[in-house]
Amino acid sequence: MTYTPGINMAIVVAVEMFTEPGEKVIIQSPVYYPYYDYVTYKGRQIAFNPLLNKGGRYEMDFAELEKIASQKDTRMLILCSPHNPVGRCWEKDELKMVHEICERNNVKVVVDEIHSDLILGESKFIPYATISEKAADNCIICTSPSKSFNLAGLLVSDIIIPNEKIRKEFRYRMAPYYLWPGSFGSVAQIAAYNEGETWLEALLTYLHGNALFLDKFLKENLPKVKYRVPEATYLAWLDFRAYGFSTQQLKTLIHQKGKVATDDGTMFGPNGEGDGFHRLNFACPKSLLEKALNQIAYAINSSDLKP
């Protein structure tokens, strides 16, 4: 393991390590929107491998992934596992397929596992590096207590790099920055991992309850909104497309009329994969979630905007 002040920097360093300017990095949209900047700001190209939306459950398009990975200028894949914002907790067979395609085509895999502690219901998280020794040897794993224990402001992350050669190169590229974890952040991380299990288990029960409450509320009050209870994370990926509003109309209704600060889905899918969607964070007291949902429902149901 090695340290970075948040996993964002780790992914940027990985882009610099594994690719040259002009080469391609695979991103599976719709996904955490800073990924796009990590690639383009470094002069690399994005190779889009959009997820397939099958009735609200997203799956990877492996045929397209193979096609993109086989191109000679494709060097790296950023894998979000569990996935933000669609809430998938990838199964072992899916991760194995990713590894086989990437190994076959000499594509390095950088895995963002920052939501790996936040698994809801009966879902099971499979760490990418446990797929096989070869998978572990071809990846960088990005982890942090920041999502699980709300410690993002303390800038503590652990980057797991089983391959010694890659680990040495990563540390060499990080060395000029002279970055070390602050003592407050280190103490908080140790306390969270050593003493936080009981709290985290209670949190997961509460989050799953909120996710189920959200599902019930939408069916009763906004039945046109399509929503699938996520397998992981505390994020709801809400599909408002059946209402027919434009992107701006939907933002106006939810943000200005409803006064709820959701994330516009267009940020997550720049090629249209996020149009008509909004991401909602339900990691809050149920009373606050209910209040926000009532405001959204009022804004949508009382709208006089013409789709």
Side-chain angles (χ1 to χ4, degrees):
M1 293 193 296
T2 191
Y3 164 79
T4 60
I7 70 168
N8 298 335
M9 188 172 194
I11 299 176
V12 173
V13 171
V15 169
E16 293 176 335
M17 283 177 53
F18 295 142
T19 67
E20 297 294 333
E23 292 184 332
K24 295 177 182 177
V25 177
I26 303 170
I27 295 180
Q28 296 176 310
S29 53
V31 74
Y32 181 59
Y33 52 88
Y35 290 174
Y36 306 118
D37 292 339
Y38 301 159
V39 175
T40 58
Y41 284 1
K42 288 297 177 180
R44 278 64 169 175
Q45 298 183 61
I46 298 172
F48 287 96
N49 176 218
L51 301 176
L52 302 174
N53 185 350
K54 296 190 175 181
R57 186 179 191 271
Y58 284 79
E59 299 179 3
M60 296 190 208
D61 186 342
F62 291 112
E64 185 65 18
L65 178 60
E66 179 81 62
K67 180 180 177 181
I68 297 170
S70 66
Q71 298 174 9
K72 64 178 182 180
D73 57 349
T74 302
R75 294 284 182 262
M76 173 180 154
L77 164 68
I78 302 176
L79 176 65
C80 194
S81 178
H83 194 281
N84 169 15
V86 307
R88 275 301 314 279
C89 193
W90 303 117
E91 297 174 1
K92 186 172 183 178
D93 288 346
E94 292 172 305
L95 295 175
K96 184 178 179 182
M97 184 73 75
V98 170
H99 159 63
E100 291 174 351
I101 291 173
C102 289
E103 183 190 33
R104 186 159 55 243
N105 293 285
N106 195 29
V107 172
K108 299 297 183 185
V109 183
V110 178
V111 193
D112 177 356
E113 295 186 352
I114 200 167
H115 288 99
S116 59
D117 290 326
L118 299 169
I119 310 304
L120 306 180
E122 300 299 318
S123 300
K124 183 179 180 181
F125 172 69
I126 306 295
Y128 184 84
T130 66
I131 297 301
S132 68
E133 290 186 9
K134 287 185 176 180
D137 201 50
N138 193 51
C139 73
I140 289 178
I141 305 295
C142 302
T143 66
S144 172
S146 63
K147 301 299 182 184
S148 311
F149 299 96
N150 201 20
L151 303 180
L154 300 184
L155 300 178
V156 178
S157 295
D158 301 302
I159 310 306
I160 302 168
I161 311 176
N163 184 302
E164 183 178 2
K165 182 179 179 181
I166 296 175
R167 186 170 64 252
K168 286 182 177 180
E169 173 68 11
F170 186 92
R171 288 176 173 169
Y172 176 78
R173 288 176 178 267
M174 288 293 301
Y177 298 108
Y178 280 87
L179 295 170
W180 305 96
S183 57
F184 186 49
S186 295
V187 170
Q189 182 180 33
I190 291 169
Y193 284 149
N194 286 347
E195 311 295 337
E197 183 175 3
T198 300
W199 178 87
L200 182 60
E201 290 300 321
L203 171 70
L204 294 177
T205 299
Y206 197 93
L207 288 177
H208 192 218
N210 274 2
L212 295 174
F213 170 76
L214 175 56
D215 185 47
K216 183 174 183 292
F217 183 97
L218 292 174
K219 288 176 179 176
E220 294 176 352
N221 299 279
L222 288 167
K224 289 185 180 180
V225 175
K226 294 180 181 178
Y227 161 69
R228 187 181 182 89
V229 174
E231 299 165 1
T233 80
Y234 45 71
L235 303 165
W237 186 236
L238 305 178
D239 181 354
F240 290 87
R241 289 178 297 176
Y243 285 93
F245 296 117
S246 69
T247 296
Q248 187 55 53
Q249 286 175 326
L250 190 57
K251 287 174 64 176
T252 298
L253 288 171
I254 296 175
H255 294 173
Q256 297 182 24
K257 187 174 181 180
K259 300 187 184 303
V260 179
T262 57
D263 293 306
D264 176 17
T266 58
M267 296 189 298
F268 301 89
N271 295 321
E273 305 95 329
D275 291 0
F277 289 81
H278 273 246
R279 188 186 73 169
L280 182 139
N281 182 334
F282 56 81
C284 61
K286 182 181 176 182
S287 59
L288 184 60
L289 175 61
E290 185 173 14
K291 183 176 185 291
L293 292 174
N294 277 317
Q295 290 172 200
I296 292 174
Y298 171 77
I300 298 292
N301 291 331
S302 64
S303 172
D304 57 1
L305 294 176
K306 302 298 181 183

